[in-house]
Amino acid sequence: MTSLRKKKVVSAVDWDAPTPYDPVWLASVQMYPPAAAINETRFWSWGWVYDSDVEFRLFTRRNPFKYQVLKTNDSAALRNSNFDFSKKVKVLAHGWLNHGDGPMPESIKEAYLNVSDLNILVVDWGTAANVNYVLASYNVASVGRLLTEFLNFLISEGVSMDDVHLIGHSLGAHVVGIAGAYIKQGPIDTITGLDPALPLFTIGNKDARLDKHDARHVEVIHTCGGYLGFNSPLGHIDFYPNGGTRQPGCGFDYRGLCAHNRAHMFFAESIISNVAFTAVRCESYDELYYTGSCKGTGEKLIMGGFDIHYGKDGIYYLKTNAEKPYALGDPDDGDPT
């Protein structure tokens, strides 16, 4: 029985020295008020996003490379597109300084279509994301509102939210969180947050960020925690590759972008990899945070992948390679104990 097995200590990654993430940039950003929730009054007239600033791009196996544009309340465009109402829906939202054909949506879209016939919807909010970080973070609530309206339109056309999985990276994680929270006929089945953005977002104001109540099931992958991404658990399941704050192979990652982007790179690889990102469950988040290591509880879970991990709530730790392929498989090399 699992309870009688000897617990193994999964050691942390050995680091030569901590990465000195840029404290000046972070301090300069935090001089501004935190990002507001969707239902809060906005006093900055320049912190608004228009419908034309957000585009919903459909990819399927019938059109894996050339997208079709869908619009809220445009039933004809939806019905004349390759959207298949019998298939699952994956919605991808990129982060700051990115766009709809950037590395995050492209790699995950390609991975999913390689293994299954799905409706892939890419939320291109590049116009609102390619501005300074402060303004981009203030735009999140409006982009989330527009995504909510689009998802409500899909519901009215017959799409079940039981078939919808929202996936967001960085600021995009908060976009999908807000969208999930305000769906009329929810909850959304699943949300995956890939290193949800930290600067100008707080634990206290959960209405402005991704929260585990935004969907029936929420999973989070932390890779640059405490700087560009949240370190604190935000989901039902929180994965901490290599401890969740820095990533091997990133070297002198002064701006944290390498570690931050590892989240979507790990996730894309996990969908198609024959080697699993096998994680072990920690006793608690405090154990991982204060010791940098994790005592196995006898439970293991694969990070990412095609399947959703319902009912496996907890904090999970794993190691990865420093370069592609990142997955290391089972840390016990096949030993079930």
Side-chain angles (χ1 to χ4, degrees):
M1 296 176 60
T2 300
S3 59
L4 297 179
R5 291 173 180 166
K6 182 179 179 181
K7 293 179 180 179
K8 292 189 175 184
V9 175
V10 181
S11 60
V13 174
D14 294 326
W15 302 101
D16 293 331
T19 299
Y21 288 141
D22 184 1
V24 176
W25 178 83
L26 187 59
S28 68
V29 168
Q30 291 176 328
M31 292 173 59
Y32 293 86
I38 194 171
N39 57 348
E40 294 179 22
T41 302
R42 176 81 59 202
F43 293 103
W44 303 279
S45 60
W46 38 267
W48 186 255
V49 179
Y50 297 97
D51 290 12
S52 58
D53 294 330
V54 180
E55 189 171 74
F56 302 105
R57 300 176 172 182
L58 172 67
F59 295 89
T60 69
R61 280 189 167 175
R62 294 174 62 187
N63 61 306
F65 306 112
K66 187 175 182 180
Y67 60 82
Q68 298 173 323
V69 177
L70 302 182
K71 296 181 181 294
T72 301
N73 297 328
D74 189 340
S75 298
L78 178 63
R79 299 290 171 174
N80 292 327
S81 73
N82 291 331
F83 190 93
D84 190 332
F85 285 82
S86 69
K87 301 292 194 307
K88 298 284 188 179
V89 180
K90 304 286 184 179
V91 180
L92 313 180
H94 62 79
W96 180 44
L97 297 182
N98 247 283
H99 38 76
D101 57 355
M104 177 267 179
E106 277 292 303
S107 61
I108 296 175
K109 177 260 293 184
E110 180 178 349
Y112 271 129
L113 292 181
N114 273 334
V115 299
S116 184
D117 191 3
L118 302 163
N119 299 299
I120 305 293
L121 288 167
V122 173
V123 183
D124 181 4
W125 62 289
T127 300
N130 283 272
V131 292
N132 71 75
Y133 181 84
V134 176
L135 181 53
S137 68
Y138 291 166
N139 286 337
V140 162
S142 295
V143 177
R145 175 186 59 82
L146 292 173
L147 178 54
T148 300
E149 292 174 357
F150 180 74
L151 293 173
N152 284 335
F153 160 63
L154 292 184
I155 291 172
S156 70
E157 293 292 316
V159 175
S160 170
M161 289 299 102
D162 291 340
D163 293 329
V164 176
H165 179 187
L166 307 183
I167 303 160
H169 175 241
S170 188
L171 290 177
H174 301 314
V175 167
V176 298
I178 288 172
Y182 288 90
I183 289 296
K184 288 181 179 178
Q185 297 181 33
I188 292 284
D189 184 72
T190 305
I191 292 178
T192 298
L194 305 173
D195 211 36
L198 172 62
L200 295 184
F201 295 87
T202 65
I203 283 292
N205 190 1
K206 63 182 180 63
D207 292 333
R209 61 162 175 82
L210 175 63
D211 177 71
K212 70 178 183 180
H213 299 101
D214 295 335
R216 184 179 294 114
H217 181 74
V218 176
E219 294 186 15
V220 180
I221 299 176
H222 304 261
T223 54
C224 192
Y227 184 61
L228 293 183
F230 268 87
N231 214 0
S232 301
L234 299 180
H236 297 98
I237 295 175
D238 288 79
F239 291 99
Y240 292 85
N242 307 299
T245 59
R246 295 178 287 130
Q247 300 303 317
C250 283
F252 187 66
D253 193 14
Y254 192 57
R255 295 305 299 271
L257 293 175
C258 176
H260 194 43
N261 287 324
R262 281 287 201 269
H264 70 74
M265 296 169 77
F266 292 162
F267 187 76
E269 181 182 317
S270 75
I271 297 168
I272 57 175
S273 177
N274 291 324
V275 179
F277 285 87
T278 305
V280 295
R281 186 173 182 176
C282 302
E283 297 281 1
S284 67
Y285 171 68
D286 286 345
E287 175 192 22
L288 179 66
Y289 181 80
Y290 288 111
T291 69
S293 61
C294 178
K295 291 182 179 180
T297 64
E299 298 175 74
K300 296 175 185 175
L301 191 65
I302 295 174
M303 182 182 75
F306 190 81
D307 297 325
I308 308 300
H309 312 110
Y310 303 107
K312 301 291 185 181
D313 299 17
I315 306 297
Y316 292 84
Y317 172 83
L318 67 152
K319 289 183 181 181
T320 71
N321 283 318
E323 56 187 28
K324 295 181 180 179
Y326 295 110
L328 286 172
D330 194 321
D332 290 340
D333 294 326
D335 181 357
T337 61

